[in-house]
Amino acid sequence: MGLLSDPNRRRALIGLLTRLNAPICVVCYMAGVAWFMGLAFEPFTLRTYMSENAMGSTMVEERFPAGERALATGREFAAHKKKTGGMPVDWLVKTMQSRGLEVFTQRFSRRLPFPDEDKERYMVKGTNVYGILRAPRAPRTEALVLSAPCTAGDHNNQAVGLLLGLAQYFRNQVYWAKDIIFLVNEHDLIGMQAWLEGYHHTNTTGMDWSPLQGRGGSIQAALSLELSSDVVTSLDLVLEGLNGQLPNLDLANLFYAFCQKIGVLCTTQGKLQRNDWDSVSGYSHAVQTMMLMAMKQASGRPWGDHGLFLRYHIEAATIKGINSFRQYKTDATTVGRLLEGMYRKLNNLLERLHQSYFFYLMSSLSHFVSIGYYMPAFGLLGVILLLRVSSTGYLTQFDVVQRSLHAKSIVLALDGDAGLRPVGHGAGLEGAEAGGRALPGRAAGLHRAHQLLPGLHPGSHAGARGRLRHAQRAKVTRLQRLGDRCGSVRSLTSRSSSPPRRVLSAFVLVVLSPACTLLFSVFFFQELQEMPVSFLDGWMLYLSVISQGILDHALYGSLVYPLVALLVYPCWLLFWNILFWK
Amino acid sequence: MKILGLLSLLATHLSANSVNIEENAGQFFSSGHTNNWAVLVCTSRFWFNYRHVANTLSVYRSVKRLGIPDSHIVLMLADDMACNHRNPKPATVFSHKNMELNVYGDDVEVDYRGYEVTVENFLRVLTGRLPPSTPRSKRLLSDDRSNILIYLTGHGGNGFLKFQDSEEISNVELADAFQQMWQKRRYNELLFIIDTCQGASMYERFYSPNLMALASSQVGEDSLSHQPDLAIGVHLMDRYTFYLLEFLEDIHPASKSNMNDLFKVCPKSQCVSTPGHRTDLFLRDPGSALITDFFGSVRKVEITMETVNLTDPIEQVEQNFVNEDLQKESYSYVDQLPVSEIIHQGLQLVNNNPGLSHPHLSFTGQSVCCRPSSISSI
């Protein structure tokens, strides 16, 4: 007989799980954390490789000559930007037209729910300018996008200059099979969101924009350029987009392949690749890179202008030019050549990028782990939740009931996860907040189901409460981020009867609250980026992170703020109930 | 055909060669074929398969140079590389890097193009089961005295060849097609060359007589591409066909190289894969089969000064020499294209010319195909 259908074996298994519950939980937790840490260890990672056959290798000849002229155009752009105090629309339109593109503009405006931290503005108004280079012989069915943001001050002038220089160079070539759209967006992400919504005829965030007069077909790939200096020492690739979405790994592979071919120093997460993976510092460097990527994905905000393209299934990335104190400098012509090579290869595409991974973590630009490798770590943390369900007496009772009553109905009643009618009050859980209103109903249902069980004394209140408590916790702690809280909190609250223990548990609960976790993450994030902040700066940063999260949700539909406010926070509040249950 | 050959011997004179003419005459027809055909197929489409089209066009070029005319070549190209939007040099297909050799040229005649290159059409061409409306340029009108060269290139695997990314032809189907050809007396001898990955698997199942086969790689091996061109951005040729082309450039219509030399083309050191060949079904000794038996269309002509005794004497016509002046009419050539008449008669002559409206006429290279237009060419 099978393991679960044989009653003796089942009883033995259940006994084992209930006896060794805490140790197994601890082991699973350690294993999960160790697995995640081990992902950065180089022998466990895979080298990146090009999956798309149509893109092939870096087998093109890059001939972009006009880096200096591009920088001069950038300076001109800067001058006009200062003169108009915002986006020099007329000058841009004229310049793009002189380069032979079809130029269009789009006006947009947005009222922010509250003024944002840096810029203190309520109403955002702006104009996007974009020029379309039509493919000389191809039908207008597909397009590629190259964009550079127009930021106030002295930033990104060289990016716009390079964009215009590339536009002029690309216009003279005959081998384009897709239209290329050169976009200069104002107000970074807000402008980009307006342009994308206008392009795809959607209006998800309530922004006000004028319809686009010119289009170029379905966009296959997009690159966003951020370049603020004449020479760069390295190029940084930013992949994380809205809600933690990533572009197809082939885009990163393409970038890396061209970096190697041209000989430019390329980084991801701003961290340089190291060769000494077997040393402690090399390994910790890789772990830091990977943790940074995971945290950036968890924050749910787009880390570059490319982040909003991903929602429309357009593979996009941002390339940032970094000028640090290094001897070997790369000039604008070389950066232009790299972009030219990338676009020629993207031109060869016949379908959207889909051959390589969509979910991955990179410990450096040349090594990655795919979801098949990092998900077991979270799976192990999830197993802890299942084990908690099966703890102390719950499963034994379940077994008794199974044998004496009709299996299905009681399983439903005891499970209580879905489909049970919530009763209004009942269990007397006063502490439940608005978000958790559904839960006491289910808990009450359980309470009632408990009364259906024969052979159980109504007086075994403690046992029932324990069962209820455990069942509640099982439903409530379904999220991965709560896995660690569960492991630690449960062990403290299970037998919390003495006041000192309660005080200790309360303190731990406060430390593990969403607010404190976020505060610690902010400090941790700054540490990982090797830019540690003082407490006051960190506190200001923390407040701006919260407000930015709310703004992201309002402006682009980021899901992190609703998730935290409606799911994580109420669950944490429920823990207080568990803690102070009488 | 035989009488024509003997009469050609009689008609001309030669000095210096005291070879026995009668022996040579016997040798001329040792191969048993009187005409040559070629079926050249490129089965893959998309821009990154540029090299397959270049392979096929190089073999086409060699075969034409050695004498097989367009009317005896069935050229099937699955995609149009010369007019592809990504080609930086429109209307050209290069086989050597730095754009030394444009195999597309001015006089390429593609018989099956684009989506017409399917397994069904290929098999119908081979077996001759085409609808009556098919034009002659799309038919393989071979007879039992034809030597046929069949060249296939594309992506293949163990026992199959991929057509157009959507269907395959298996080695069993190919072998059966050749058997049908043999039963219908559609070939005298057939040379089958295939340049794909695991190409040797395609000739494993042949069972008809008079077949010789060459492949660029064995089962389990991949055929590799030769050289990339950075300006165009793709690989230009496959290795096996590249070295085959180099070998064929040395062959001229009168050369005596035989099949054993062909088997030595592209050894493992150059090709990385191991080329294979199969001669057990071939009834003659491969050493006696000339390259030009398959790749060229050689008219067997030898000029001799000697006379050959025919069995029947030729009746001598009595000639009466009349000494008076014969009225000699002076003849002159008629103007083949009376331009002045055309110009003065206006446009009515143009509409009478049926050849211009034929859709399958030759695909002239230079600027015709690549007009910017919104209609895709295939």
Side-chain angles (χ1 to χ4, degrees):
Chain A
M1 268 227 250
L3 191 65
L4 289 178
S5 52
D6 178 10
N8 292 322
R9 283 204 194 148
R10 189 170 60 213
R11 222 173 308 144
L13 185 66
I14 292 169
L16 187 77
L17 281 179
T18 51
R19 253 182 313 118
L20 294 178
N21 210 315
I24 294 182
C25 276
V26 170
V27 165
C28 278
Y29 187 73
M30 294 300 183
V33 172
W35 187 298
F36 189 75
M37 287 302 167
L39 288 172
F41 190 51
E42 194 159 306
F44 297 157
T45 58
L46 287 170
R47 288 199 76 89
T48 55
Y49 56 94
M50 203 64 121
S51 298
E52 174 68 54
N53 202 8
M55 280 211 295
S57 57
T58 57
M59 190 172 40
V60 279
E61 201 177 352
E62 303 92 1
R63 289 208 209 104
F64 177 66
E68 295 307 314
R69 215 179 321 149
L71 291 177
T73 317
R75 285 190 279 275
E76 223 183 297
F77 172 71
H80 279 92
K81 190 166 68 167
K82 203 184 300 196
K83 201 164 63 167
T84 55
M87 175 97 136
V89 177
D90 296 323
W91 178 83
L92 265 176
V93 167
K94 202 160 48 76
T95 319
M96 282 194 182
Q97 269 174 348
S98 70
R99 279 159 170 73
L101 310 177
E102 294 179 13
V103 191
F104 306 95
T105 58
Q106 180 200 29
R107 304 177 70 78
F108 62 89
S109 73
R110 180 82 162 102
R111 194 178 159 72
L112 299 181
F114 52 84
D116 55 354
E117 290 276 329
D118 332 311
K119 298 181 186 109
E120 300 288 326
R121 56 190 174 187
Y122 255 114
M123 181 72 139
V124 177
K125 275 202 192 125
T127 318
N128 293 328
V129 180
Y130 65 104
I132 307 182
L133 187 151
R134 299 286 182 195
R137 293 174 281 150
R140 299 171 181 188
T141 47
E142 290 169 351
L144 299 168
V145 174
L146 178 63
S147 83
C150 167
T151 25
D154 213 13
H155 300 291
N156 281 328
N157 301 324
Q158 286 82 356
V160 176
L162 191 58
L163 181 137
L164 294 170
L166 280 172
Q168 186 162 32
Y169 177 70
F170 284 177
R171 184 74 179 88
N172 293 329
Q173 311 303 320
V174 296
Y175 46 67
W176 297 113
K178 307 183 202 289
D179 294 344
I180 304 187
I181 304 178
F182 295 93
L183 169 67
V184 181
N185 53 324
E186 196 176 358
H187 298 302
D188 300 319
L189 287 167
I190 302 178
M192 186 60 88
Q193 179 71 16
W195 190 80
L196 280 170
E197 284 188 358
Y199 198 88
H200 293 100
H201 306 296
T202 61
N203 199 334
T204 50
T205 57
M207 208 181 284
D208 200 18
W209 37 262
S210 64
L212 295 184
Q213 304 295 320
R215 266 184 115 253
S218 110
I219 304 179
Q220 305 288 297
L223 281 180
S224 180
L225 204 56
E226 286 180 26
L227 198 60
S228 300
S229 55
D230 281 355
V231 288
V232 288
T233 53
S234 62
L235 287 174
D236 192 43
L237 183 71
V238 184
L239 295 168
E240 301 82 13
L242 185 66
N243 293 330
Q245 210 174 343
L246 295 170
N248 198 293
L249 189 59
D250 265 338
L251 199 58
N253 297 337
L254 184 67
F255 176 72
Y256 184 59
F258 270 100
C259 284
Q260 283 190 309
K261 178 186 181 199
I262 297 192
V264 184
L265 204 59
C266 286
T267 62
T268 182
Q269 319 299 336
K271 287 195 182 289
L272 210 59
Q273 193 167 334
R274 288 168 67 137
N275 289 330
D276 53 343
W277 55 267
D278 43 359
S279 72
V280 174
S281 53
Y283 170 71
S284 76
H285 187 86
V287 167
Q288 282 175 32
T289 315
M290 211 170 66
M291 289 293 302
L292 266 176
M293 184 167 182
M295 290 184 79
K296 281 187 177 176
Q297 278 188 280
S299 71
R301 55 180 301 255
W303 286 85
D305 280 0
H306 72 287
L308 299 169
F309 280 94
L310 296 168
R311 196 168 25 189
Y312 297 92
H313 196 37
I314 299 170
E315 313 308 328
T318 299
I319 298 179
K320 285 212 295 229
I322 299 183
N323 193 4
S324 67
F325 305 103
R326 213 175 283 275
Q327 209 175 14
Y328 189 72
K329 304 228 185 255
T330 313
D331 61 346
T333 312
T334 318
V335 178
R337 287 206 175 151
L338 189 142
L339 290 170
E340 179 199 349
M342 285 185 77
Y343 271 86
R344 268 202 85 174
K345 280 290 146 186
L346 288 171
N347 182 41
N348 283 353
L349 281 178
L350 297 150
E351 314 164 285
R352 288 177 196 271
L353 287 170
H354 67 283
Q355 300 279 6
S356 190
Y357 300 96
F358 285 101
F359 298 98
Y360 48 90
L361 285 176
M362 297 186 90
S363 56
S364 68
L365 263 182
S366 60
H367 291 272
F368 76 101
V369 287
S370 68
I371 189 172
Y373 283 95
Y374 70 67
M375 212 34 121
F378 299 109
L380 282 169
L381 293 181
V383 162
I384 298 179
L385 304 180
L386 287 176
L387 286 175
R388 297 317 306 159
V389 170
S390 67
S391 70
T392 334
Y394 187 68
L395 264 188
T396 50
Q397 293 300 334
F398 175 72
D399 195 47
V400 162
V401 162
Q402 183 89 333
R403 272 186 284 131
S404 56
L405 285 173
H406 196 284
K408 255 191 202 155
S409 53
I410 298 303
V411 163
L412 269 178
L414 281 179
D415 184 12
D417 256 336
L420 198 61
R421 312 184 298 282
V423 177
H425 307 286
L429 299 166
E430 301 89 37
E433 296 290 310
R437 196 162 286 150
L439 292 164
R442 291 212 197 104
L446 258 185
H447 194 73
R448 273 182 1 136
H450 148 70
Q451 286 162 356
L452 292 172
L453 296 172
L456 293 168
H457 329 281
S460 64
H461 212 231
R465 203 182 309 136
R467 222 173 15 255
L468 268 175
R469 214 181 298 149
H470 291 309
Q472 263 178 20
R473 229 175 283 131
K475 279 181 312 218
V476 145
T477 57
R478 217 174 279 131
L479 298 167
Q480 294 166 9
R481 276 175 66 189
L482 292 173
D484 42 344
R485 272 190 220 141
C486 181
S488 53
V489 170
R490 188 223 68 81
S491 57
L492 288 172
T493 58
S494 59
R495 278 171 295 279
S496 55
S497 44
S498 56
R501 272 209 100 135
R502 279 205 179 172
V503 170
L504 188 61
S505 314
F507 179 69
V508 170
L509 204 55
V510 167
V511 165
L512 288 175
S513 66
C516 282
T517 316
L518 196 55
L519 186 63
F520 295 145
S521 322
V522 166
F523 282 109
F524 185 49
F525 186 70
Q526 291 299 118
E527 280 289 334
L528 283 178
Q529 283 194 318
E530 289 163 26
M531 291 191 297
V533 287
S534 66
F535 182 71
L536 220 56
D537 287 335
W539 178 255
M540 298 308 295
L541 197 61
Y542 169 67
L543 291 177
S544 81
V545 161
I546 295 184
S547 70
Q548 195 62 41
I550 302 175
L551 257 185
D552 278 348
H553 170 66
L555 288 174
Y556 323 118
S558 159
L559 291 175
V560 172
Y561 169 66
L563 201 76
V564 170
L566 294 177
L567 223 58
V568 174
Y569 187 59
C571 294
W572 176 76
L573 286 174
L574 275 175
F575 275 121
W576 288 102
N577 293 325
I578 296 166
L579 191 57
F580 294 107
W581 189 278
K582 288 239 183 295
Chain B
M1 282 303 280
K2 267 198 182 149
I3 297 173
L4 205 59
L6 282 174
L7 280 177
S8 67
L9 276 175
L10 176 72
T12 53
H13 301 282
L14 176 78
S15 65
N17 218 349
S18 55
V19 161
N20 193 342
I21 296 299
E22 280 162 11
E23 252 181 45
N24 265 1
Q27 208 181 45
F28 281 162
F29 301 104
S30 65
S31 67
H33 77 282
T34 56
N35 57 74
N36 286 86
W37 285 82
V39 179
L40 310 173
V41 184
C42 160
T43 61
S44 42
R45 52 173 38 240
F46 305 138
W47 174 244
F48 56 87
N49 290 322
Y50 184 100
R51 59 187 189 276
H52 297 140
V53 172
N55 287 350
T56 318
L57 285 173
S58 327
V59 176
Y60 171 78
R61 194 179 164 279
S62 310
V63 147
K64 260 179 88 160
R65 185 176 53 82
L66 290 171
I68 304 185
D70 270 322
S71 54
H72 282 224
I73 301 178
V74 177
L75 179 62
M76 307 170 86
L77 296 180
D79 201 359
D80 179 19
M81 294 306 162
C83 294
N84 193 310
H85 310 309
R86 296 166 180 85
N87 196 343
K89 294 276 185 257
T92 60
V93 173
F94 290 105
S95 67
H96 282 64
K97 69 172 172 201
N98 301 326
M99 298 185 235
E100 287 165 10
L101 184 58
N102 175 15
V103 288
Y104 201 65
D106 298 350
D107 56 351
V108 165
E109 184 183 309
V110 184
D111 302 305
Y112 286 83
R113 62 185 63 153
Y115 288 111
E116 290 172 355
V117 178
T118 56
V119 174
E120 183 190 338
N121 281 349
F122 176 59
L123 291 176
R124 281 185 185 278
V125 163
L126 286 184
T127 54
R129 298 179 203 282
L130 288 161
S133 57
T134 318
R136 285 180 71 92
S137 60
K138 286 189 161 184
R139 287 180 189 265
L140 179 66
L141 298 165
S142 54
D143 53 23
D144 63 326
R145 292 261 146 256
S146 308
N147 273 11
I148 309 184
L149 165 72
I150 297 187
Y151 176 81
L152 292 175
T153 183
H155 287 292
N158 191 353
F160 68 92
L161 171 63
K162 190 168 76 157
F163 265 70
Q164 299 252 21
D165 212 25
S166 63
E167 50 181 0
E168 297 109 22
I169 185 172
S170 65
N171 47 5
V172 175
E173 282 177 349
L174 198 57
D176 288 342
F178 287 159
Q179 178 66 7
Q180 285 189 54
M181 287 174 80
W182 175 252
Q183 287 181 357
K184 290 174 78 166
R185 302 276 182 270
R186 278 171 71 77
Y187 69 89
N188 174 36
E189 281 165 354
L190 196 145
L191 176 63
F192 174 77
I193 305 184
I194 183 160
D195 188 353
T196 64
C197 301
Q198 308 193 48
S201 64
M202 289 303 281
Y203 60 61
E204 275 172 1
R205 302 296 195 114
F206 289 174
Y207 55 92
S208 320
N210 271 341
L211 292 179
M212 189 173 348
L214 280 122
S216 61
S217 58
Q218 301 294 328
V219 175
E221 282 181 348
D222 286 341
S223 289
L224 302 178
S225 55
H226 183 63
Q227 37 181 327
D229 184 315
L230 294 182
I232 303 180
V234 286
H235 285 281
L236 294 184
M237 283 274 265
D238 281 328
R239 281 176 189 250
Y240 183 74
T241 312
F242 181 78
Y243 291 108
L244 181 68
L245 179 65
E246 268 189 8
F247 172 75
L248 287 176
E249 290 285 318
D250 290 334
I251 306 287
H252 53 89
S255 73
K256 298 283 174 214
S257 318
N258 55 38
M259 283 296 158
N260 285 333
D261 301 327
L262 191 61
F263 297 152
K264 292 198 205 99
V265 163
C266 207
K268 194 172 162 85
S269 53
Q270 282 177 326
C271 253
V272 185
S273 57
T274 320
H277 54 89
R278 180 177 177 176
T279 54
D280 55 317
L281 294 166
F282 201 67
L283 296 176
R284 282 194 293 154
D285 172 35
S288 68
L290 301 177
I291 301 282
T292 50
D293 280 350
F294 293 100
F295 283 90
S297 182
V298 181
R299 300 273 174 266
K300 313 259 189 232
V301 173
E302 175 132 352
I303 303 178
T304 174
M305 294 293 254
E306 299 185 12
T307 57
V308 178
N309 280 331
L310 298 176
T311 49
D312 298 322
I314 292 179
E315 299 273 316
Q316 291 270 339
V317 176
E318 287 284 315
Q319 269 200 343
N320 299 324
F321 268 88
V322 180
N323 274 333
E324 65 257 19
D325 290 294
L326 284 170
Q327 270 288 337
K328 288 222 187 257
E329 294 172 24
S330 66
Y331 297 104
S332 65
Y333 281 105
V334 179
D335 214 346
Q336 288 196 335
L337 192 66
V339 176
S340 50
E341 284 176 7
I342 290 173
I343 291 173
H344 292 311
Q345 276 172 22
L347 294 168
Q348 59 215 66
L349 278 175
V350 178
N351 292 329
N352 295 339
N353 202 338
L356 287 175
S357 55
H358 197 291
H360 300 287
L361 210 57
S362 61
F363 207 73
T364 59
Q366 288 308 322
S367 57
V368 177
C369 64
C370 297
R371 291 187 287 275
S373 71
S374 53
I375 308 165
S376 54
S377 54
I378 291 183

